[in-house]
Amino acid sequence: MKKLLFIASFVIIGFGAKAQTAAVKLTDTAKLYNPAADAKEEIAGAVKQAAALHKNVLLQIGGNWCIWCIRFNNLVTQDPELNKYARDNYVIVHVNYSKENTNEKLLAQLGYPQRFGFPVFIVLDDKGNRLHTQNSSYLEDGKGHSKEKVMGFFKDWAPAAIDPKSYEKAK
């Protein structure tokens, strides 16, 4: 009986160590959000870039502490179709929200998007006007984000989707 308990304890400790190692690796590599960044300045630069490239700005608000923020970023950057569509239509800015920097004033100006949880997304046009705030829970499917729902969100708020010329009848 003592042998069985010893073996069971060893197995449980082994699984715990493996899970802790995975968590450390995620934390070490997850540097999407910079608490020291001047988010307002980064957004202003993204708006200028978007105007020059005829794109919109996508603000992904969250933190390195947020597993759903990391998962969303991984889905978009690792899926070639999502990555291409996002890069072709948006200038992307990761806006930090953490105990080190909540970006309180900026988020107040953006209509308190943190009320939806994290990540939360804001789409700005190429003049810096807020077009849409997206609650990420509507993009989820099961234990992750749905590629189809994310692509739908990207397409719904891409520059062509909100350009009146896209809806003019052919003459």
Side-chain angles (χ1 to χ4, degrees):
M1 182 68 164
K2 287 183 181 179
K3 264 187 179 177
L4 186 58
L5 284 173
F6 178 74
I7 292 170
S9 297
F10 186 78
V11 169
I12 290 170
I13 290 169
F15 281 123
K18 185 175 180 181
Q20 188 175 15
T21 301
V24 169
K25 285 182 183 175
L26 176 63
T27 303
D28 290 345
T29 59
K31 303 295 182 198
L32 294 172
Y33 299 92
N34 180 0
D38 182 341
K40 196 168 186 172
E41 185 178 300
E42 287 185 347
I43 293 168
V47 168
K48 286 181 185 176
Q49 187 179 3
L53 299 172
H54 308 292
K55 296 181 179 186
N56 286 338
V57 176
L58 176 65
L59 306 180
Q60 182 179 329
I61 304 168
N64 295 322
W65 53 268
C66 170
I67 188 66
W68 285 94
C69 301
I70 306 303
R71 286 178 182 164
F72 181 87
N73 186 74
N74 288 345
L75 172 67
V76 173
T77 57
Q78 293 172 9
D79 182 281
E81 187 180 6
L82 285 173
N83 192 17
K84 180 174 177 12
Y85 196 88
R87 301 281 173 213
D88 287 350
N89 290 281
Y90 298 95
V91 176
I92 300 170
V93 179
H94 291 90
V95 177
N96 182 75
Y97 182 93
S98 67
K99 62 183 177 183
E100 297 86 9
N101 183 359
T102 61
N103 279 301
E104 186 177 356
K105 288 181 183 177
L106 173 67
L107 296 184
Q109 293 170 350
L110 294 170
Y112 304 98
Q114 66 269 38
R115 69 186 184 273
F116 296 117
F118 299 98
V120 62
F121 310 99
I122 295 182
V123 179
L124 306 175
D125 66 13
D126 62 0
K127 294 170 187 58
N129 300 311
R130 182 168 54 103
L131 300 173
H132 179 67
T133 301
Q134 179 67 45
N135 179 337
S136 70
S137 67
Y138 296 119
L139 305 177
E140 294 172 11
D141 188 21
K143 294 185 180 183
H145 293 93
S146 161
K147 175 183 176 176
E148 291 75 24
K149 291 177 183 178
V150 171
M151 183 61 85
F153 163 59
F154 286 166
K155 287 182 176 181
D156 286 347
W157 295 100
I162 57 174
D163 183 354
K165 294 176 186 173
S166 298
Y167 300 96
E168 292 177 0
K169 293 182 181 180
K171 295 179 181 181

